[in-house]
Amino acid sequence: MSIGLIGKKQGMTRFFTEKGEGIAVTVVSIEPNTITQIKTNDNEGYSSIQVTTGKKNDKHLNKPLLGHYKKSSITPGEGLWEFRTSEEEVQELRVGNSITLNQLENKDYVDVSGISKGKGFAGTVKRWNFSMQDATHGNSLSHRAPGSIGQCQTPGRVWKGKKMSGHMGQQRKTTQNLKVVSMDIEKNILLIKGSIPGSTGSTVVVRPSLKK
């Protein structure tokens, strides 16, 4: 199934195998995901499910969003996420059902999406891995400068998308083919080998791997 789970990144730790090997893993806690809406080809033109997780105070929601939760008789959550599905999968699901960690029980590899850490305003050396200019031989004030960005008289402008200084990070990123090292269904904890996008405490989307 293409349905994933919404979880929270809790940080990184080490996991020791039976052979005594230490593996760096990321701890992801996954609370039950409640289905708030089921979209079908007849009504919306495509098949998907909308889920929420956690709890949020009513006073922190605007009226349209609060009405959306009340229409489904669902306790307001921290946000709304959507997973595209097939028509056959939609027919088996109902509004109010919970999707738990059992969804990934037989999955060895997952794809994790999240918002990467924000780095603020960064230069081209840090942001795009540009090489620095000479540190000596008469060079001054241009050690980390990007160099020429012009295009001569034709076309006489800088092309859109040029790699330059600017805001770095805080973008939606997906890391694919991450191995599931351990899964504790009772405690709703998932251990994933390696690092995943986002800072500690941020929300991540865990899906079954597409390429594995």
Side-chain angles (χ1 to χ4, degrees), residues 4-6 30-38 49-55 68-69 72-77 79-83 94-100:
L5 291 170
I6 310 301
I30 297 179
E31 297 182 5
N33 292 187
T34 306
I35 299 177
T36 57
Q37 184 180 4
I38 296 177
I49 63 167
Q50 187 185 85
V51 299
T52 187
T53 183
K55 294 182 179 179
H68 179 71
Y69 283 111
S72 305
S73 300
I74 302 296
T75 302
L80 294 172
W81 294 266
E82 194 170 302
F83 296 103
R94 297 290 183 270
V95 174
N97 289 0
S98 294
I99 304 174
T100 62

PDB file of all heavy atoms in Angstrom, residues 4-6 30-38 49-55 68-69 72-77 79-83 94-100:
ATOM      1  N   GLY A   4       1.298   6.067   4.062  1.00  0.00           N
ATOM      2  CA  GLY A   4       2.400   6.206   4.994  1.00  0.00           C
ATOM      3  C   GLY A   4       1.903   6.558   6.387  1.00  0.00           C
ATOM      4  O   GLY A   4       0.716   6.427   6.708  1.00  0.00           O
ATOM      5  N   LEU A   5       2.830   7.029   7.211  1.00  0.00           N
ATOM      6  CA  LEU A   5       2.517   7.385   8.588  1.00  0.00           C
ATOM      7  C   LEU A   5       3.149   8.726   8.932  1.00  0.00           C
ATOM      8  O   LEU A   5       4.225   9.058   8.429  1.00  0.00           O
ATOM      9  CB  LEU A   5       3.040   6.317   9.560  1.00  0.00           C
ATOM     10  CG  LEU A   5       2.338   4.956   9.536  1.00  0.00           C
ATOM     11  CD1 LEU A   5       3.130   3.947  10.357  1.00  0.00           C
ATOM     12  CD2 LEU A   5       0.914   5.061  10.061  1.00  0.00           C
ATOM     13  N   ILE A   6       2.474   9.480   9.791  1.00  0.00           N
ATOM     14  CA  ILE A   6       2.987  10.755  10.283  1.00  0.00           C
ATOM     15  C   ILE A   6       3.614  10.515  11.650  1.00  0.00           C
ATOM     16  O   ILE A   6       2.987   9.942  12.539  1.00  0.00           O
ATOM     17  CB  ILE A   6       1.867  11.809  10.396  1.00  0.00           C
ATOM     18  CG1 ILE A   6       1.067  11.882   9.093  1.00  0.00           C
ATOM     19  CG2 ILE A   6       2.455  13.163  10.747  1.00  0.00           C
ATOM     20  CD1 ILE A   6       1.888  12.240   7.871  1.00  0.00           C
ATOM     21  N   ILE A  30       5.628   7.357  16.521  1.00  0.00           N
ATOM     22  CA  ILE A  30       4.469   7.440  15.631  1.00  0.00           C
ATOM     23  C   ILE A  30       3.206   7.182  16.436  1.00  0.00           C
ATOM     24  O   ILE A  30       2.961   6.052  16.884  1.00  0.00           O
ATOM     25  CB  ILE A  30       4.584   6.429  14.473  1.00  0.00           C
ATOM     26  CG1 ILE A  30       5.810   6.773  13.628  1.00  0.00           C
ATOM     27  CG2 ILE A  30       3.314   6.430  13.632  1.00  0.00           C
ATOM     28  CD1 ILE A  30       6.055   5.853  12.466  1.00  0.00           C
ATOM     29  N   GLU A  31       2.406   8.216  16.645  1.00  0.00           N
ATOM     30  CA  GLU A  31       1.108   8.066  17.278  1.00  0.00           C
ATOM     31  C   GLU A  31       0.101   7.612  16.218  1.00  0.00           C
ATOM     32  O   GLU A  31       0.327   7.783  15.021  1.00  0.00           O
ATOM     33  CB  GLU A  31       0.659   9.387  17.902  1.00  0.00           C
ATOM     34  CG  GLU A  31       1.556   9.892  19.014  1.00  0.00           C
ATOM     35  CD  GLU A  31       1.044  11.179  19.616  1.00  0.00           C
ATOM     36  OE1 GLU A  31      -0.066  11.610  19.227  1.00  0.00           O
ATOM     37  OE2 GLU A  31       1.744  11.758  20.467  1.00  0.00           O
ATOM     38  N   PRO A  32      -1.020   7.015  16.648  1.00  0.00           N
ATOM     39  CA  PRO A  32      -2.029   6.588  15.671  1.00  0.00           C
ATOM     40  C   PRO A  32      -2.486   7.736  14.782  1.00  0.00           C
ATOM     41  O   PRO A  32      -2.757   8.840  15.262  1.00  0.00           O
ATOM     42  CB  PRO A  32      -3.166   6.065  16.560  1.00  0.00           C
ATOM     43  CG  PRO A  32      -2.489   5.637  17.818  1.00  0.00           C
ATOM     44  CD  PRO A  32      -1.354   6.604  18.023  1.00  0.00           C
ATOM     45  N   ASN A  33      -2.555   7.488  13.490  1.00  0.00           N
ATOM     46  CA  ASN A  33      -3.024   8.469  12.517  1.00  0.00           C
ATOM     47  C   ASN A  33      -4.511   8.248  12.269  1.00  0.00           C
ATOM     48  O   ASN A  33      -4.921   7.153  11.848  1.00  0.00           O
ATOM     49  CB  ASN A  33      -2.260   8.342  11.207  1.00  0.00           C
ATOM     50  CG  ASN A  33      -0.793   8.746  11.339  1.00  0.00           C
ATOM     51  OD1 ASN A  33      -0.075   8.824  10.361  1.00  0.00           O
ATOM     52  ND2 ASN A  33      -0.305   8.988  12.545  1.00  0.00           N
ATOM     53  N   THR A  34      -5.321   9.267  12.524  1.00  0.00           N
ATOM     54  CA  THR A  34      -6.767   9.150  12.374  1.00  0.00           C
ATOM     55  C   THR A  34      -7.202   9.676  11.014  1.00  0.00           C
ATOM     56  O   THR A  34      -6.795  10.762  10.604  1.00  0.00           O
ATOM     57  CB  THR A  34      -7.494   9.928  13.488  1.00  0.00           C
ATOM     58  OG1 THR A  34      -7.017   9.485  14.757  1.00  0.00           O
ATOM     59  CG2 THR A  34      -8.991   9.708  13.411  1.00  0.00           C
ATOM     60  N   ILE A  35      -8.038   8.906  10.327  1.00  0.00           N
ATOM     61  CA  ILE A  35      -8.540   9.315   9.010  1.00  0.00           C
ATOM     62  C   ILE A  35      -9.632  10.354   9.199  1.00  0.00           C
ATOM     63  O   ILE A  35     -10.632  10.112   9.882  1.00  0.00           O
ATOM     64  CB  ILE A  35      -9.079   8.104   8.232  1.00  0.00           C
ATOM     65  CG1 ILE A  35      -7.961   7.076   8.014  1.00  0.00           C
ATOM     66  CG2 ILE A  35      -9.664   8.546   6.896  1.00  0.00           C
ATOM     67  CD1 ILE A  35      -8.423   5.811   7.317  1.00  0.00           C
ATOM     68  N   THR A  36      -9.454  11.526   8.610  1.00  0.00           N
ATOM     69  CA  THR A  36     -10.430  12.617   8.735  1.00  0.00           C
ATOM     70  C   THR A  36     -11.304  12.758   7.489  1.00  0.00           C
ATOM     71  O   THR A  36     -12.404  13.296   7.569  1.00  0.00           O
ATOM     72  CB  THR A  36      -9.709  13.950   8.984  1.00  0.00           C
ATOM     73  OG1 THR A  36      -8.775  14.185   7.915  1.00  0.00           O
ATOM     74  CG2 THR A  36      -8.947  13.900  10.311  1.00  0.00           C
ATOM     75  N   GLN A  37     -10.801  12.301   6.352  1.00  0.00           N
ATOM     76  CA  GLN A  37     -11.583  12.429   5.114  1.00  0.00           C
ATOM     77  C   GLN A  37     -11.098  11.402   4.106  1.00  0.00           C
ATOM     78  O   GLN A  37      -9.896  11.092   4.042  1.00  0.00           O
ATOM     79  CB  GLN A  37     -11.439  13.839   4.527  1.00  0.00           C
ATOM     80  CG  GLN A  37     -12.300  14.080   3.293  1.00  0.00           C
ATOM     81  CD  GLN A  37     -12.123  15.483   2.732  1.00  0.00           C
ATOM     82  OE1 GLN A  37     -11.303  16.256   3.231  1.00  0.00           O
ATOM     83  NE2 GLN A  37     -12.873  15.824   1.700  1.00  0.00           N
ATOM     84  N   ILE A  38     -12.019  10.872   3.338  1.00  0.00           N
ATOM     85  CA  ILE A  38     -11.703   9.938   2.253  1.00  0.00           C
ATOM     86  C   ILE A  38     -12.163  10.563   0.943  1.00  0.00           C
ATOM     87  O   ILE A  38     -13.351  10.866   0.766  1.00  0.00           O
ATOM     88  CB  ILE A  38     -12.376   8.575   2.472  1.00  0.00           C
ATOM     89  CG1 ILE A  38     -11.814   7.908   3.734  1.00  0.00           C
ATOM     90  CG2 ILE A  38     -12.152   7.677   1.263  1.00  0.00           C
ATOM     91  CD1 ILE A  38     -12.461   6.586   4.066  1.00  0.00           C
ATOM     92  N   ILE A  49      -6.600   9.522   1.032  1.00  0.00           N
ATOM     93  CA  ILE A  49      -7.115   9.645   2.392  1.00  0.00           C
ATOM     94  C   ILE A  49      -6.408  10.810   3.068  1.00  0.00           C
ATOM     95  O   ILE A  49      -5.240  11.082   2.798  1.00  0.00           O
ATOM     96  CB  ILE A  49      -6.911   8.355   3.210  1.00  0.00           C
ATOM     97  CG1 ILE A  49      -5.422   8.045   3.386  1.00  0.00           C
ATOM     98  CG2 ILE A  49      -7.653   7.195   2.597  1.00  0.00           C
ATOM     99  CD1 ILE A  49      -5.139   6.989   4.425  1.00  0.00           C
ATOM    100  N   GLN A  50      -7.140  11.492   3.929  1.00  0.00           N
ATOM    101  CA  GLN A  50      -6.580  12.613   4.696  1.00  0.00           C
ATOM    102  C   GLN A  50      -6.524  12.192   6.159  1.00  0.00           C
ATOM    103  O   GLN A  50      -7.503  11.659   6.696  1.00  0.00           O
ATOM    104  CB  GLN A  50      -7.474  13.842   4.528  1.00  0.00           C
ATOM    105  CG  GLN A  50      -6.919  15.108   5.142  1.00  0.00           C
ATOM    106  CD  GLN A  50      -7.912  16.244   5.028  1.00  0.00           C
ATOM    107  OE1 GLN A  50      -8.798  16.376   5.869  1.00  0.00           O
ATOM    108  NE2 GLN A  50      -7.800  17.048   3.987  1.00  0.00           N
ATOM    109  N   VAL A  51      -5.364  12.400   6.788  1.00  0.00           N
ATOM    110  CA  VAL A  51      -5.171  11.944   8.171  1.00  0.00           C
ATOM    111  C   VAL A  51      -4.690  13.093   9.033  1.00  0.00           C
ATOM    112  O   VAL A  51      -4.193  14.111   8.545  1.00  0.00           O
ATOM    113  CB  VAL A  51      -4.154  10.784   8.239  1.00  0.00           C
ATOM    114  CG1 VAL A  51      -4.638   9.593   7.428  1.00  0.00           C
ATOM    115  CG2 VAL A  51      -2.779  11.241   7.799  1.00  0.00           C
ATOM    116  N   THR A  52      -4.846  12.907  10.336  1.00  0.00           N
ATOM    117  CA  THR A  52      -4.311  13.825  11.322  1.00  0.00           C
ATOM    118  C   THR A  52      -3.748  13.009  12.475  1.00  0.00           C
ATOM    119  O   THR A  52      -4.054  11.819  12.616  1.00  0.00           O
ATOM    120  CB  THR A  52      -5.398  14.788  11.839  1.00  0.00           C
ATOM    121  OG1 THR A  52      -4.797  15.781  12.674  1.00  0.00           O
ATOM    122  CG2 THR A  52      -6.453  14.051  12.638  1.00  0.00           C
ATOM    123  N   THR A  53      -2.934  13.642  13.290  1.00  0.00           N
ATOM    124  CA  THR A  53      -2.339  12.961  14.434  1.00  0.00           C
ATOM    125  C   THR A  53      -2.152  13.957  15.568  1.00  0.00           C
ATOM    126  O   THR A  53      -2.048  15.173  15.335  1.00  0.00           O
ATOM    127  CB  THR A  53      -0.986  12.324  14.053  1.00  0.00           C
ATOM    128  OG1 THR A  53      -0.463  11.601  15.179  1.00  0.00           O
ATOM    129  CG2 THR A  53       0.008  13.370  13.626  1.00  0.00           C
ATOM    130  N   GLY A  54      -2.094  13.455  16.790  1.00  0.00           N
ATOM    131  CA  GLY A  54      -1.928  14.326  17.943  1.00  0.00           C
ATOM    132  C   GLY A  54      -3.215  15.055  18.299  1.00  0.00           C
ATOM    133  O   GLY A  54      -4.302  14.734  17.812  1.00  0.00           O
ATOM    134  N   LYS A  55      -3.102  16.070  19.151  1.00  0.00           N
ATOM    135  CA  LYS A  55      -4.239  16.860  19.581  1.00  0.00           C
ATOM    136  C   LYS A  55      -3.891  18.343  19.556  1.00  0.00           C
ATOM    137  O   LYS A  55      -2.747  18.726  19.785  1.00  0.00           O
ATOM    138  CB  LYS A  55      -4.686  16.462  20.999  1.00  0.00           C
ATOM    139  CG  LYS A  55      -5.242  15.053  21.102  1.00  0.00           C
ATOM    140  CD  LYS A  55      -5.697  14.742  22.510  1.00  0.00           C
ATOM    141  CE  LYS A  55      -6.270  13.339  22.619  1.00  0.00           C
ATOM    142  NZ  LYS A  55      -6.704  13.020  23.997  1.00  0.00           N
ATOM    143  N   HIS A  68     -14.314  21.534   9.653  1.00  0.00           N
ATOM    144  CA  HIS A  68     -13.887  20.329   8.926  1.00  0.00           C
ATOM    145  C   HIS A  68     -13.741  19.146   9.884  1.00  0.00           C
ATOM    146  O   HIS A  68     -14.145  18.020   9.567  1.00  0.00           O
ATOM    147  CB  HIS A  68     -12.569  20.612   8.199  1.00  0.00           C
ATOM    148  CG  HIS A  68     -12.036  19.441   7.436  1.00  0.00           C
ATOM    149  ND1 HIS A  68     -12.628  18.981   6.278  1.00  0.00           N
ATOM    150  CD2 HIS A  68     -10.970  18.626   7.662  1.00  0.00           C
ATOM    151  CE1 HIS A  68     -11.955  17.945   5.816  1.00  0.00           C
ATOM    152  NE2 HIS A  68     -10.937  17.703   6.639  1.00  0.00           N
ATOM    153  N   TYR A  69     -13.156  19.393  11.062  1.00  0.00           N
ATOM    154  CA  TYR A  69     -13.011  18.322  12.052  1.00  0.00           C
ATOM    155  C   TYR A  69     -14.371  17.904  12.629  1.00  0.00           C
ATOM    156  O   TYR A  69     -14.631  16.711  12.814  1.00  0.00           O
ATOM    157  CB  TYR A  69     -12.086  18.774  13.187  1.00  0.00           C
ATOM    158  CG  TYR A  69     -10.620  18.757  12.826  1.00  0.00           C
ATOM    159  CD1 TYR A  69      -9.892  19.939  12.677  1.00  0.00           C
ATOM    160  CD2 TYR A  69      -9.937  17.554  12.657  1.00  0.00           C
ATOM    161  CE1 TYR A  69      -8.534  19.922  12.365  1.00  0.00           C
ATOM    162  CE2 TYR A  69      -8.592  17.522  12.348  1.00  0.00           C
ATOM    163  CZ  TYR A  69      -7.894  18.716  12.203  1.00  0.00           C
ATOM    164  OH  TYR A  69      -6.557  18.684  11.894  1.00  0.00           O
ATOM    165  N   SER A  72     -16.438  15.532  10.547  1.00  0.00           N
ATOM    166  CA  SER A  72     -16.010  14.137  10.602  1.00  0.00           C
ATOM    167  C   SER A  72     -16.076  13.565  12.008  1.00  0.00           C
ATOM    168  O   SER A  72     -15.754  12.385  12.202  1.00  0.00           O
ATOM    169  CB  SER A  72     -14.571  14.010  10.078  1.00  0.00           C
ATOM    170  OG  SER A  72     -14.439  14.554   8.787  1.00  0.00           O
ATOM    171  N   SER A  73     -16.468  14.399  12.978  1.00  0.00           N
ATOM    172  CA  SER A  73     -16.527  13.986  14.391  1.00  0.00           C
ATOM    173  C   SER A  73     -15.167  13.481  14.864  1.00  0.00           C
ATOM    174  O   SER A  73     -15.065  12.451  15.548  1.00  0.00           O
ATOM    175  CB  SER A  73     -17.601  12.904  14.592  1.00  0.00           C
ATOM    176  OG  SER A  73     -18.866  13.387  14.220  1.00  0.00           O
ATOM    177  N   ILE A  74     -14.120  14.220  14.478  1.00  0.00           N
ATOM    178  CA  ILE A  74     -12.750  13.854  14.824  1.00  0.00           C
ATOM    179  C   ILE A  74     -12.171  14.927  15.746  1.00  0.00           C
ATOM    180  O   ILE A  74     -12.405  16.122  15.550  1.00  0.00           O
ATOM    181  CB  ILE A  74     -11.872  13.725  13.561  1.00  0.00           C
ATOM    182  CG1 ILE A  74     -12.468  12.683  12.614  1.00  0.00           C
ATOM    183  CG2 ILE A  74     -10.449  13.362  13.926  1.00  0.00           C
ATOM    184  CD1 ILE A  74     -12.506  11.281  13.150  1.00  0.00           C
ATOM    185  N   THR A  75     -11.418  14.494  16.764  1.00  0.00           N
ATOM    186  CA  THR A  75     -10.726  15.445  17.630  1.00  0.00           C
ATOM    187  C   THR A  75      -9.657  16.176  16.822  1.00  0.00           C
ATOM    188  O   THR A  75      -8.859  15.536  16.129  1.00  0.00           O
ATOM    189  CB  THR A  75     -10.058  14.712  18.810  1.00  0.00           C
ATOM    190  OG1 THR A  75     -11.057  13.994  19.534  1.00  0.00           O
ATOM    191  CG2 THR A  75      -9.372  15.697  19.728  1.00  0.00           C
ATOM    192  N   PRO A  76      -9.631  17.511  16.874  1.00  0.00           N
ATOM    193  CA  PRO A  76      -8.631  18.257  16.074  1.00  0.00           C
ATOM    194  C   PRO A  76      -7.209  17.822  16.375  1.00  0.00           C
ATOM    195  O   PRO A  76      -6.827  17.631  17.534  1.00  0.00           O
ATOM    196  CB  PRO A  76      -8.876  19.713  16.501  1.00  0.00           C
ATOM    197  CG  PRO A  76     -10.292  19.733  16.963  1.00  0.00           C
ATOM    198  CD  PRO A  76     -10.543  18.403  17.587  1.00  0.00           C
ATOM    199  N   GLY A  77      -6.424  17.644  15.304  1.00  0.00           N
ATOM    200  CA  GLY A  77      -5.038  17.232  15.443  1.00  0.00           C
ATOM    201  C   GLY A  77      -4.078  18.360  15.135  1.00  0.00           C
ATOM    202  O   GLY A  77      -4.470  19.516  14.939  1.00  0.00           O
ATOM    203  N   GLY A  79      -2.304  18.786  12.501  1.00  0.00           N
ATOM    204  CA  GLY A  79      -2.263  19.177  11.094  1.00  0.00           C
ATOM    205  C   GLY A  79      -3.003  18.163  10.258  1.00  0.00           C
ATOM    206  O   GLY A  79      -3.565  17.178  10.765  1.00  0.00           O
ATOM    207  N   LEU A  80      -3.001  18.391   8.948  1.00  0.00           N
ATOM    208  CA  LEU A  80      -3.663  17.494   8.007  1.00  0.00           C
ATOM    209  C   LEU A  80      -2.655  17.068   6.935  1.00  0.00           C
ATOM    210  O   LEU A  80      -1.943  17.905   6.382  1.00  0.00           O
ATOM    211  CB  LEU A  80      -4.875  18.160   7.362  1.00  0.00           C
ATOM    212  CG  LEU A  80      -6.050  18.489   8.299  1.00  0.00           C
ATOM    213  CD1 LEU A  80      -7.077  19.327   7.561  1.00  0.00           C
ATOM    214  CD2 LEU A  80      -6.693  17.212   8.825  1.00  0.00           C
ATOM    215  N   TRP A  81      -2.615  15.773   6.659  1.00  0.00           N
ATOM    216  CA  TRP A  81      -1.747  15.229   5.622  1.00  0.00           C
ATOM    217  C   TRP A  81      -2.562  14.311   4.729  1.00  0.00           C
ATOM    218  O   TRP A  81      -3.593  13.774   5.147  1.00  0.00           O
ATOM    219  CB  TRP A  81      -0.591  14.452   6.242  1.00  0.00           C
ATOM    220  CG  TRP A  81       0.358  15.295   7.021  1.00  0.00           C
ATOM    221  CD1 TRP A  81       1.517  15.866   6.577  1.00  0.00           C
ATOM    222  CD2 TRP A  81       0.248  15.678   8.403  1.00  0.00           C
ATOM    223  NE1 TRP A  81       2.122  16.585   7.576  1.00  0.00           N
ATOM    224  CE2 TRP A  81       1.375  16.480   8.713  1.00  0.00           C
ATOM    225  CE3 TRP A  81      -0.683  15.410   9.401  1.00  0.00           C
ATOM    226  CZ2 TRP A  81       1.576  17.006   9.972  1.00  0.00           C
ATOM    227  CZ3 TRP A  81      -0.492  15.938  10.659  1.00  0.00           C
ATOM    228  CH2 TRP A  81       0.625  16.739  10.938  1.00  0.00           C
ATOM    229  N   GLU A  82      -2.097  14.142   3.512  1.00  0.00           N
ATOM    230  CA  GLU A  82      -2.863  13.370   2.547  1.00  0.00           C
ATOM    231  C   GLU A  82      -1.979  12.347   1.848  1.00  0.00           C
ATOM    232  O   GLU A  82      -0.821  12.624   1.521  1.00  0.00           O
ATOM    233  CB  GLU A  82      -3.476  14.328   1.513  1.00  0.00           C
ATOM    234  CG  GLU A  82      -4.568  13.697   0.665  1.00  0.00           C
ATOM    235  CD  GLU A  82      -5.326  14.734  -0.165  1.00  0.00           C
ATOM    236  OE1 GLU A  82      -5.892  15.667   0.442  1.00  0.00           O
ATOM    237  OE2 GLU A  82      -5.320  14.618  -1.397  1.00  0.00           O
ATOM    238  N   PHE A  83      -2.546  11.152   1.617  1.00  0.00           N
ATOM    239  CA  PHE A  83      -1.851  10.080   0.920  1.00  0.00           C
ATOM    240  C   PHE A  83      -2.703   9.623  -0.256  1.00  0.00           C
ATOM    241  O   PHE A  83      -3.877   9.279  -0.084  1.00  0.00           O
ATOM    242  CB  PHE A  83      -1.584   8.887   1.847  1.00  0.00           C
ATOM    243  CG  PHE A  83      -0.661   9.203   2.988  1.00  0.00           C
ATOM    244  CD1 PHE A  83      -1.165   9.408   4.276  1.00  0.00           C
ATOM    245  CD2 PHE A  83       0.698   9.293   2.796  1.00  0.00           C
ATOM    246  CE1 PHE A  83      -0.316   9.698   5.330  1.00  0.00           C
ATOM    247  CE2 PHE A  83       1.559   9.587   3.842  1.00  0.00           C
ATOM    248  CZ  PHE A  83       1.049   9.786   5.107  1.00  0.00           C
ATOM    249  N   ARG A  94     -12.433   3.680   6.438  1.00  0.00           N
ATOM    250  CA  ARG A  94     -13.564   4.465   6.914  1.00  0.00           C
ATOM    251  C   ARG A  94     -13.051   5.678   7.698  1.00  0.00           C
ATOM    252  O   ARG A  94     -11.980   5.617   8.322  1.00  0.00           O
ATOM    253  CB  ARG A  94     -14.466   3.624   7.826  1.00  0.00           C
ATOM    254  CG  ARG A  94     -15.103   2.433   7.122  1.00  0.00           C
ATOM    255  CD  ARG A  94     -16.157   2.875   6.108  1.00  0.00           C
ATOM    256  NE  ARG A  94     -16.811   1.746   5.483  1.00  0.00           N
ATOM    257  CZ  ARG A  94     -16.378   1.152   4.367  1.00  0.00           C
ATOM    258  NH1 ARG A  94     -15.275   1.600   3.779  1.00  0.00           N
ATOM    259  NH2 ARG A  94     -17.028   0.139   3.863  1.00  0.00           N
ATOM    260  N   VAL A  95     -13.811   6.762   7.664  1.00  0.00           N
ATOM    261  CA  VAL A  95     -13.465   7.954   8.435  1.00  0.00           C
ATOM    262  C   VAL A  95     -13.531   7.626   9.919  1.00  0.00           C
ATOM    263  O   VAL A  95     -14.497   7.023  10.399  1.00  0.00           O
ATOM    264  CB  VAL A  95     -14.424   9.116   8.103  1.00  0.00           C
ATOM    265  CG1 VAL A  95     -14.167  10.302   9.014  1.00  0.00           C
ATOM    266  CG2 VAL A  95     -14.271   9.521   6.646  1.00  0.00           C
ATOM    267  N   GLY A  96     -12.497   8.015  10.652  1.00  0.00           N
ATOM    268  CA  GLY A  96     -12.415   7.719  12.071  1.00  0.00           C
ATOM    269  C   GLY A  96     -11.518   6.541  12.389  1.00  0.00           C
ATOM    270  O   GLY A  96     -11.127   6.357  13.544  1.00  0.00           O
ATOM    271  N   ASN A  97     -11.190   5.741  11.371  1.00  0.00           N
ATOM    272  CA  ASN A  97     -10.269   4.624  11.596  1.00  0.00           C
ATOM    273  C   ASN A  97      -8.863   5.146  11.897  1.00  0.00           C
ATOM    274  O   ASN A  97      -8.477   6.217  11.442  1.00  0.00           O
ATOM    275  CB  ASN A  97     -10.221   3.709  10.375  1.00  0.00           C
ATOM    276  CG  ASN A  97     -11.505   2.909  10.212  1.00  0.00           C
ATOM    277  OD1 ASN A  97     -12.422   3.034  11.012  1.00  0.00           O
ATOM    278  ND2 ASN A  97     -11.573   2.100   9.172  1.00  0.00           N
ATOM    279  N   SER A  98      -8.099   4.381  12.632  1.00  0.00           N
ATOM    280  CA  SER A  98      -6.733   4.745  12.981  1.00  0.00           C
ATOM    281  C   SER A  98      -5.748   3.860  12.228  1.00  0.00           C
ATOM    282  O   SER A  98      -5.947   2.642  12.133  1.00  0.00           O
ATOM    283  CB  SER A  98      -6.495   4.612  14.495  1.00  0.00           C
ATOM    284  OG  SER A  98      -7.280   5.551  15.199  1.00  0.00           O
ATOM    285  N   ILE A  99      -4.694   4.490  11.726  1.00  0.00           N
ATOM    286  CA  ILE A  99      -3.612   3.767  11.066  1.00  0.00           C
ATOM    287  C   ILE A  99      -2.429   3.764  12.022  1.00  0.00           C
ATOM    288  O   ILE A  99      -1.949   4.822  12.437  1.00  0.00           O
ATOM    289  CB  ILE A  99      -3.236   4.432   9.731  1.00  0.00           C
ATOM    290  CG1 ILE A  99      -4.457   4.547   8.835  1.00  0.00           C
ATOM    291  CG2 ILE A  99      -2.140   3.646   9.027  1.00  0.00           C
ATOM    292  CD1 ILE A  99      -4.216   5.324   7.565  1.00  0.00           C
ATOM    293  N   THR A 100      -1.967   2.596  12.379  1.00  0.00           N
ATOM    294  CA  THR A 100      -0.909   2.460  13.381  1.00  0.00           C
ATOM    295  C   THR A 100       0.383   1.991  12.741  1.00  0.00           C
ATOM    296  O   THR A 100       0.483   1.854  11.515  1.00  0.00           O
ATOM    297  CB  THR A 100      -1.338   1.482  14.484  1.00  0.00           C
ATOM    298  OG1 THR A 100      -1.559   0.184  13.897  1.00  0.00           O
ATOM    299  CG2 THR A 100      -2.629   1.957  15.157  1.00  0.00           C
TER     300      THR A 100
END
